[in-house]
Amino acid sequence: MLLITDRLDESRDLARRLGFWGPCRVVALEHHGAAPVTQPQIVVSDVDLAQRHSVEAMRAALARHRGRGAPYLCLLRDMTARSTIQARAIGATEVLSADMAASQLLKTIEQLLHEGDAADPARGTAAFTRAHLATAAASLADMLQSASAGGAIALRAVEASVEAIDQAAGASDIGDWLQVVWSYDDLTYQHCMLVAGLAASFAHDLGFSAEDRKLVTRAAVLHDIGKARIPLELLHKPGALDHAEQVVMRTHPAVGHAMLLAQGGFQPEILAAVRSHHEYLDGSGYPDGLGGSQISDVVRIITICDIYAALIERRSYKPPMMPEQAYDILQLMAGKLDAALVRAFQQVVQKTAQAA
């Protein structure tokens, strides 16, 4: 994934969204003469094409960096007919407004990267999973973007994500889901989508009704919403957090709960999952030190999925733990986690082991 931009300081959020499909390299337009990227899957530009010199620089950058057949998505700050024609003239496959919603950006890139996959029988299941994942990821991006800016959580975005995840979990193996999610470069998105996919698959295995499955999946989608207010340098730190950083990170359950409570319209089970997914049955968790019957079944399910997802995540600075090892850790947490649910979760673990 390659992003060419003439405003490096403002490209961080855009690069983060592009990271859904793997590492995103950012190249400054004025430094386009740097060593070319090896065959990027797609080139995205965020450049002011109203300036003649920028058009010529962009043309040269594409000639240097764009691989044969790679799609090129041009983001325009000025969606006039002239700018659109200019973008097409330098080879844009698709043109979008630079201030479009995250969901529109992600869906467009998904279409450009995998056009024609759905018609290929050999890739049908993977394409089905990927299409639903793209919908869920786009909705999650809109959700986190709004939350980080202090805005309201769009309920339609939550429901679109829940519906897509539930359908994918019911129609395909969790292994297909994991293979796509593991390619995400952004750890916050990767973790949220892992937990949601695991929770949806677990709910299916437990034989939950459609309504209860969606409740569990909704809780999983929203469980870490408080991280939208945690500094990115902590979320993306390549290594263990120090004590002061851990104190900040541990505020995310209460922050997320306060956000949803202030907005209103969220079920009590969802509020409990957001606030209490780090609570343990023996009372040793946080933020409230709850224990035993104070922790609901939905929270117990989300906690198991949350811990397991953190153990099997793929990060640049450490290899993922093998599913069997991660499950052993869940079993060693006897007294903290619901033992019956941990035993039932083994079915999900077996599915993830096939994908590892």
Side-chain angles (χ1 to χ4, degrees):
M1 190 77 58
L2 174 65
L3 170 63
I4 301 173
T5 179
D6 60 1
R7 49 179 182 180
L8 278 176
D9 291 343
E10 301 174 44
S11 66
R12 189 175 185 180
D13 285 343
L14 178 57
R16 183 185 186 191
R17 279 175 263 163
L18 295 176
F20 272 121
W21 286 272
C24 177
R25 178 176 173 182
V26 181
V27 173
L29 182 65
E30 61 269 24
H31 297 146
H32 67 78
V37 177
T38 304
Q39 298 182 338
Q41 285 184 289
I42 186 171
V43 176
V44 179
S45 72
D46 178 22
V47 171
D48 182 6
L49 295 184
Q51 305 297 321
R52 184 65 191 173
H53 68 275
S54 295
V55 174
E56 293 307 318
M58 191 64 222
R59 196 189 304 274
L62 287 169
R64 185 169 186 82
H65 296 288
R66 186 182 184 185
R68 179 176 297 179
Y72 163 39
L73 173 61
C74 181
L75 305 180
L76 294 177
R77 297 165 204 169
D78 177 10
M79 287 292 288
T80 61
R82 180 182 177 184
S83 294
T84 302
I85 291 171
Q86 191 68 266
R88 295 292 187 184
I90 62 174
T93 312
E94 188 59 77
V95 179
L96 287 178
S97 170
D99 60 1
M100 74 295 148
S103 55
Q104 185 181 2
L105 171 67
L106 297 180
K107 287 178 182 178
T108 300
I109 293 178
E110 170 66 21
Q111 291 168 357
L112 291 174
L113 285 175
H114 304 293
E115 206 164 35
D117 279 4
D120 183 351
R123 304 166 84 176
T125 301
F128 178 87
T129 300
R130 192 168 50 240
H132 282 79
L133 187 65
T135 299
S139 300
L140 177 64
D142 279 347
M143 230 167 51
L144 291 176
Q145 187 177 25
S146 176
S148 64
I153 307 301
L155 296 181
R156 65 181 183 279
V158 176
E159 292 313 302
S161 184
V162 168
E163 185 67 30
I165 295 168
D166 180 64
Q167 287 188 33
S172 62
D173 195 291
I174 188 67
D176 295 326
W177 180 270
L178 293 176
Q179 288 295 346
V180 181
V181 173
W182 273 331
S183 71
Y184 287 180
D185 194 45
D186 188 283
L187 295 179
T188 302
Y189 292 145
Q190 181 187 138
H191 180 72
C192 286
M193 297 303 289
L194 274 177
V195 174
L198 291 167
S201 182
F202 195 15
H204 274 275
D205 287 347
L206 290 170
F208 283 9
S209 67
E211 183 179 347
D212 287 341
R213 286 199 314 269
K214 289 182 180 180
L215 175 63
V216 169
T217 306
R218 194 175 298 119
V221 166
L222 288 165
H223 84 285
D224 264 350
I225 193 65
K227 286 185 178 178
R229 302 282 175 84
I230 299 296
L232 285 176
E233 55 268 26
L234 295 191
L235 294 176
H236 295 169
K237 183 179 178 179
L241 302 180
D242 62 31
H243 176 71
E245 291 168 336
Q246 287 178 3
V247 170
V248 174
M249 184 65 77
R250 285 189 169 208
T251 63
H252 80 268
V255 168
H257 178 261
M259 287 166 55
L260 299 191
L261 195 61
Q263 180 174 330
F266 294 94
Q267 296 157 286
E269 295 89 345
I270 305 301
L271 294 171
V274 170
R275 185 175 182 90
S276 304
H277 61 277
H278 285 291
E279 300 283 6
Y280 294 136
L281 298 179
D282 63 1
S284 63
Y286 66 90
D288 301 309
L290 302 182
S293 61
Q294 294 176 298
I295 303 174
S296 71
D297 289 341
V298 171
V299 173
R300 296 179 189 210
I301 289 171
I302 301 304
T303 300
I304 291 170
C305 294
D306 184 49
I307 295 170
Y308 184 74
L311 294 172
I312 67 170
E313 283 168 9
R314 295 182 175 178
R315 305 188 179 195
S316 60
Y317 58 87
K318 75 174 184 68
M321 187 174 290
M322 293 302 294
E324 295 83 358
Q325 293 175 286
Y327 184 67
D328 286 344
I329 288 179
L330 293 181
Q331 290 183 302
L332 289 172
M333 295 179 71
K336 295 181 179 294
L337 305 178
D338 187 302
L341 285 174
V342 169
R343 285 194 296 273
F345 190 69
Q346 190 168 16
Q347 295 179 65
V348 179
V349 174
Q350 290 170 349
K351 297 175 189 176
T352 63
Q354 295 168 10

